[in-house]
Amino acid sequence: MPLMSFEVRWFFPGELARFPELQHWIETAKPFPDEGVVPAPKPEGRLGDKPDIYLLVPGANDMGIKWREGQLQVKGRMARRGLQRFNRHFYGAVELWAKWSYKSDDIKRAFSGWFEGDANRSWETVAVRKTRTLRKTRLDSRGRLVEVSKDAYLDRGLGVELTDLEIGGLRYCSLGFEAFPDDTEMSEAFTQAVDAWLHDLADSGVVLDQHQSMGYPEFLNSRAHLQISAAVKSEGLP
């Protein structure tokens, strides 16, 4: 069964150090009480500092395919929920995504080669190195929102992630919210939770606008296009 989730995400040019207000916010915001012991948030890289490898599907911003720590992940956009205003200050594109994850020796033999460097392949891959600060909010059976450890299993709740990205030697960062499952009650809870998390950013000067808001497939396709255009111009080609 796929994991279904509501998502909104924004991207920024440059490394996270350019946005100290965001870093301070992810470390100090406290919109909900803790459930149990919740360690202080801190940035962490992927296992072995390896990048996620994305396979680009040209012109398809609704499909993401990546290889992450020996796992094939396929993610498809099921619906667009439209532009939404959060906390009266911020605007983001809310989308519904489904994710399928596969990991086994057979999967590795069948698919890992898709994501390895091969000059003869007809498809393009992009390596994305990520350093992520993650916080999690659980929505309990009474509709109460509480913060839990980033390592806690959530069957119903919302993840908040602030991520430093390195793509082809270029630096970006991203702020994203992901909530699951995708039932009718979660739609309202998603908005309430994001509003609460963003409350402390309202007067910080941070801009979260619709032109910055998109999923990873759209962002990676757009960056690839811009990099290719820059390379063509540098060679003096039409």
Side-chain angles (χ1 to χ4, degrees):
M1 292 292 291
L3 173 67
M4 306 291 292
S5 61
F6 290 99
E7 297 184 24
V8 63
R9 182 177 299 277
W10 295 269
F11 289 91
F12 309 85
E15 60 188 332
L16 187 56
R18 291 187 56 196
F19 304 92
E21 299 88 353
L22 282 173
Q23 188 67 58
H24 176 75
W25 166 80
I26 197 69
E27 293 173 352
T28 62
K30 201 64 186 172
F32 308 112
D34 291 347
E35 178 183 82
V37 177
V38 179
K42 62 178 181 179
E44 295 182 348
R46 294 297 194 202
L47 182 64
D49 197 33
K50 295 181 179 179
D52 290 354
I53 309 297
Y54 288 80
L55 191 156
L56 294 183
V57 182
N61 294 330
D62 59 352
M63 175 63 68
I65 303 173
K66 73 176 178 181
W67 189 259
R68 175 191 174 195
E69 298 174 6
Q71 187 176 80
L72 176 68
Q73 296 183 353
V74 180
K75 197 168 183 179
R77 186 175 63 208
M78 309 302 289
R80 285 175 164 168
R81 295 301 176 95
L83 186 67
Q84 189 166 330
R85 185 172 69 169
F86 296 98
N87 206 260
R88 303 188 306 278
H89 295 272
F90 309 116
Y91 293 86
V94 178
E95 301 174 329
L96 177 63
W97 290 83
K99 181 171 73 175
W100 295 261
S101 299
Y102 305 95
K103 186 175 184 179
S104 70
D105 289 340
D106 288 341
I107 291 293
K108 185 174 182 179
R109 282 192 293 269
F111 294 104
S112 63
W114 289 16
F115 303 89
E116 295 171 355
D118 182 351
N120 296 318
R121 69 189 178 196
S122 59
W123 59 90
E124 184 177 2
T125 59
V126 175
V128 182
R129 195 173 304 278
K130 301 177 180 179
T131 302
R132 183 178 67 167
T133 302
L134 175 64
R135 297 179 68 175
K136 288 183 178 180
T137 305
R138 186 194 306 282
L139 180 64
D140 68 16
S141 58
R142 296 173 293 172
R144 188 173 67 111
L145 289 159
V146 293
E147 185 170 1
V148 298
S149 167
K150 68 176 182 61
D151 297 318
Y153 170 75
L154 285 183
D155 58 357
R156 185 176 183 79
L158 176 135
V160 185
E161 61 176 56
L162 185 61
T163 309
D164 246 327
L165 306 169
E166 182 180 348
I167 307 171
L170 302 177
R171 301 295 297 272
Y172 310 92
C173 55
S174 173
L175 168 61
F177 296 88
E178 179 180 2
F180 50 87
D182 66 321
D183 55 42
T184 54
E185 293 181 359
M186 180 53 77
S187 179
E188 182 178 353
F190 174 74
T191 300
Q192 293 175 348
V194 175
D195 278 348
W197 272 108
L198 291 177
H199 179 268
D200 289 345
L201 271 182
D203 298 319
S204 67
V206 172
V207 175
L208 304 177
D209 209 348
Q210 64 182 93
H211 72 277
Q212 304 162 275
S213 185
M214 65 195 79
Y216 265 106
E218 183 175 354
F219 176 73
L220 292 176
N221 274 319
S222 67
R223 299 317 304 174
H225 170 73
L226 291 176
Q227 291 172 34
I228 291 171
S229 297
V232 169
K233 289 180 180 179
S234 70
E235 294 293 332
L237 302 176

